[in-house]
């Protein structure tokens, strides 16, 4: 065991290795023996932050069985191997390329002959591929996404709305594929690993309704701020003037096998094993943490302090491990991200209560992107808070302004990996020596 900050720093490379989606795709293809299917060709369709990695795994296993297809990736990320059509699209706000990507995918589903479809889908797909229901325009869609992302709504709530304003989300993409055989392989970025919420579940039966989508708008007081065309579609859906998304008993899903092949939980278990090897007692608290980032940070600080002062839930050395996706209700004008805000709130709370040098937190986005920034998150100790204060920074004030990036950048505490080609949610680890 080293000091907690060094121990957590060593975890980052292991998280990146365990997040490699190509490995999960290869394992799944081996399990189902898709690579051994005689005389079967596939159209490969992939989109999401992990699309390139997933495609590389599929090509390695099925190269001679792939007839063609399209891969949709975020702009500036690594392109996949092979000769497939590649479209660089927009995240987290859709743009013209998102529409282009949806149109291309629909065209590929029209291929005739003895072919099946292999869908490789990961988080981020909701904005990378889109075709809104009429009369919603692209500008309306952009505005809707901006409002939802700043509302404090969870990713599941946001995707519930997205599904009900789209021609391809919420299982609607499956209508274009039927009756051909298809596989939907998903990498989960959704707390709780809810299949129909990943990338808004394009090939999956939808368990939500127009009523659910409309309730998200009402619960977050967004009725007056969202575009009128979006409100019209949702109200028409509630009133059954628009057919709801296809449900589990719909015939279009009879020939599609959808499954989650990679998830946050696998990384948490791997981290637990590594930290036990360093001498820590470990507790995996959850793989589905949600809620306001600052509130989760304060809650983790309370557990940290109880461990130090009272031995609850265990006496140090202990590592608290959790994953999921918290949210930030943007009220200020600063720049930050879920992980940065959570960690800074944790550090502030621990530092206020006790001068303890042997506690640290790692808050890390497996996709390498924390909020609208070039940072994957942060690694800081409770002692780092003293250093930040010595720079003349008012941490409480900056947190209130949602300006965590500025604070942590000034202190040299950011983690910058660049886009990782994965997206298995966020990893949060508190280590106490």
């Amino acid at each position: 065991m080293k000091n907690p900050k060094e121990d957590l720093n060593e975890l980052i490379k292991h998280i990146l290795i365990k997040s490699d989606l190509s490995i999960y795709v290869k394992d799944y293809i081996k399990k189902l023996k898709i690579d051994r299917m005689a005389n079967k060709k596939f159209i490969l369709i992939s989109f999401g932050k992990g699309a390139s990695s997933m495609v590389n795994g599929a090509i390695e296993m099925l190269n001679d069985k792939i007839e063609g297809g399209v891969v949709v990736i975020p702009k500036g990320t690594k392109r996949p191997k092979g000769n497939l059509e590649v479209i660089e699209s927009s995240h987290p706000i859709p743009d013209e390329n998102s529409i282009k990507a949806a149109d291309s995918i629909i065209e590929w589903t029209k291929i005739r002959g003895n072919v099946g479809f292999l869908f490789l889908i990961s988080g981020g797909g909701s904005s990378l591929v889109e075709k809104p229901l009429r009369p919603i325009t692209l500008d309306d869609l952009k505005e809707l996404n901006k409002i939802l992302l700043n509302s404090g709504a969870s990713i599941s709530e946001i995707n519930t709305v997205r599904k009900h304003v789209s021609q391809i989300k919420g299982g609607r993409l499956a209508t274009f594929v039927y009756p051909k055989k298809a596989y939907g392989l998903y990498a989960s970025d959704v707390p709780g690993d809810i299949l129909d919420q990943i990338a808004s579940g394009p090939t999956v039966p939808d368990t939500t309704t127009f009523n659910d989508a409309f309730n998200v708008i009402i619960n977050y007081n967004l009725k007056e701020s969202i575009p009128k065309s979006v409100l019209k579609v949702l109200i028409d859906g509630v009133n059954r003037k628009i057919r709801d998304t296809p449900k589990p008993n719909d015939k279009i899903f009879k020939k599609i096998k959808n499954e989650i092949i990679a998830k946050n939980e696998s990384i948490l278990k791997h981290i637990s094993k590594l930290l036990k090897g360093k001498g820590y007692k470990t507790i995996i608290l959850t793989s589905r943490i949600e809620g306001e980032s600052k509130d989760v940070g304060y809650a983790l600080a309370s557990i940290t302090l109880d461990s130090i002062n009272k031995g609850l839930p265990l006496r140090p050395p202990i590592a608290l491990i959790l994953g999921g996706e918290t949210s930030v209700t943007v009220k200020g004008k600063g720049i930050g991200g879920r992980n940065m805000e959570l960690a800074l709130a944790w550090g502030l709370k621990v530092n206020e209560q006790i001068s303890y040098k042997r506690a640290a937190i790692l808050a890390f986005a497996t996709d390498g992107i924390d909020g609208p920034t070039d940072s994957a998150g942060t690694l800081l100790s409770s002692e780092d808070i003293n250093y930040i204060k010595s720079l003349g920074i008012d941490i409480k004030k900056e947190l209130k302004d949602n300006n965590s990036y500025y604070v942590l950048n000034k202190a040299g505490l950011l983690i910058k990996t660049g886009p990782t080609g994965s997206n298995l949610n966020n990893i949060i680890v508190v280590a106490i020596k």
Side-chain angles (χ1 to χ4, degrees):
M1 184 184 293
K2 301 177 183 178
N3 70 62
K5 198 169 175 182
E6 287 184 62
D7 288 332
L8 293 183
N9 188 53
E10 289 179 1
L11 283 184
I12 296 172
K13 63 183 177 183
H14 294 285
I15 292 170
L16 292 172
I17 292 169
K18 195 66 177 177
S19 300
D20 184 351
L21 298 180
S22 67
I23 296 171
Y24 295 93
V25 170
K26 287 188 286 186
D27 287 346
Y28 189 82
I29 289 172
K30 286 178 187 175
K31 185 177 83 170
L32 287 190
K33 300 179 181 179
I34 297 174
D35 54 326
R36 300 182 190 178
M37 290 183 177
N39 303 317
K40 190 70 173 179
K41 298 289 186 178
F42 289 93
I43 300 300
L44 197 159
I45 296 172
S46 183
F47 51 94
K49 292 181 183 178
S52 288
S53 180
M54 296 181 85
V55 167
N56 289 342
I59 287 176
E60 189 174 328
M61 298 294 292
L62 301 171
N63 190 38
D64 60 337
K65 292 182 176 293
I66 297 173
E67 284 278 279
V70 57
V71 187
V72 188
I73 58 176
K75 291 173 185 173
T77 58
K78 193 172 182 179
R79 296 167 75 91
K81 300 173 184 176
N83 298 314
L84 299 168
E85 178 189 359
V86 178
I87 297 174
E88 293 191 4
S89 189
S90 178
H91 183 276
I93 306 298
D95 67 4
E96 293 81 2
N97 287 322
S98 307
I99 308 295
K100 176 184 174 183
D103 288 337
S104 177
I105 288 170
I106 291 170
E107 280 303 307
W108 277 106
T109 64
K110 296 176 182 177
I111 296 289
R112 296 182 179 181
N114 184 29
V115 296
F117 287 85
L118 183 61
F119 292 94
L120 306 175
I121 298 171
S122 54
S126 293
S127 69
L128 294 171
V129 178
E130 183 56 289
K131 193 172 181 66
L133 290 168
R134 295 186 180 90
I136 300 170
T137 66
L138 177 57
D139 286 339
D140 293 338
L141 197 63
K142 288 180 179 179
E143 184 63 22
L144 172 66
N145 276 270
K146 288 176 184 175
I147 290 169
L148 288 171
L149 290 169
N150 289 334
S151 69
S154 70
I155 187 64
S156 294
E157 290 171 322
I158 290 171
N159 285 351
T160 295
V161 177
R162 284 168 164 167
K163 285 191 282 189
H164 288 88
V165 298
S166 173
Q167 295 184 45
I168 63 167
K169 292 178 171 58
R172 287 187 170 124
L173 180 56
T175 61
F176 296 98
V177 179
Y178 181 80
K180 291 187 175 69
K181 177 73 175 176
Y183 295 91
L185 279 56
Y186 284 75
S188 176
D189 71 328
V190 176
D193 302 318
I194 303 167
L195 186 54
D196 66 43
Q197 290 289 352
I198 304 167
S200 301
T203 67
V204 180
D206 188 21
T207 58
T208 68
T209 65
F210 270 110
N211 282 311
D212 295 323
F214 187 69
N215 284 337
V216 172
I217 300 302
I218 297 301
N219 291 341
Y220 288 91
N221 298 313
L222 304 178
K223 188 176 178 182
E224 302 302 321
S225 57
I226 63 171
K228 287 183 173 58
S229 61
V230 173
L231 187 61
K232 181 183 186 310
V233 165
L234 294 178
I235 290 175
D236 283 351
V238 169
N239 292 327
R240 300 186 180 182
K241 294 179 181 179
I242 300 174
R243 186 181 178 185
D244 211 328
T245 46
K247 305 306 176 194
N249 60 352
D250 198 301
K251 68 178 182 180
I252 65 171
F253 299 115
K254 287 184 178 179
K255 292 191 175 184
I256 294 183
K257 181 176 178 60
N258 293 297
E259 193 164 341
I260 295 174
I261 62 165
K263 50 190 172 182
N264 183 270
E265 178 187 341
S266 301
I267 303 175
L268 302 185
K269 289 179 177 178
H270 185 60
I271 288 171
S272 177
K273 184 177 178 181
L274 292 172
L275 289 174
K276 282 179 180 177
K278 290 180 178 291
Y280 289 93
K281 292 167 277 188
T282 65
I283 298 177
I284 298 177
L285 295 175
T286 180
S287 66
R288 54 182 302 166
I289 192 69
E290 294 183 86
E292 194 70 28
S293 286
K294 279 185 283 192
D295 294 340
V296 173
Y298 292 144
L300 279 175
S302 296
I303 299 172
T304 302
L305 292 166
D306 260 0
S307 177
I308 294 166
N309 293 324
K310 301 179 180 181
L312 297 173
L314 291 170
R315 293 195 181 280
I318 181 175
L320 308 169
I321 304 168
L322 58 160
E325 187 162 326
T326 56
S327 53
V328 175
T329 304
V330 179
K331 296 178 180 177
K333 296 180 180 180
I335 298 174
R338 299 178 178 94
N339 292 297
M340 290 178 275
E341 194 155 301
L342 184 154
L344 199 55
W346 172 88
L348 183 64
K349 189 76 172 177
V350 171
N351 185 267
E352 282 179 352
Q353 298 294 318
I354 189 170
S355 179
Y356 194 80
K357 299 178 181 179
R358 297 184 177 184
I361 186 168
L362 170 67
F364 182 79
T366 56
D367 62 1
I369 304 165
D370 190 26
T373 76
D374 60 354
S375 169
T378 186
L379 168 58
L380 63 87
S381 68
S382 50
E383 193 176 20
D384 285 326
I385 299 299
N386 293 329
Y387 174 63
I388 293 170
K389 289 177 179 177
S390 76
L391 299 175
I393 296 172
D394 185 336
I395 298 174
K396 283 186 178 178
K397 176 178 175 292
E398 299 301 340
L399 275 173
K400 191 174 182 180
D401 200 32
N402 302 116
N403 206 20
S404 55
Y405 181 93
Y406 162 78
V407 175
L408 296 166
N409 188 46
K410 194 85 171 174
L413 295 169
L414 294 176
I415 301 169
K416 295 187 179 182
T417 62
T420 63
S422 184
N423 193 15
L424 297 178
N425 261 338
N426 301 307
I427 305 295
I428 303 154
V429 187
V430 175
I432 311 164
K433 193 172 178 182

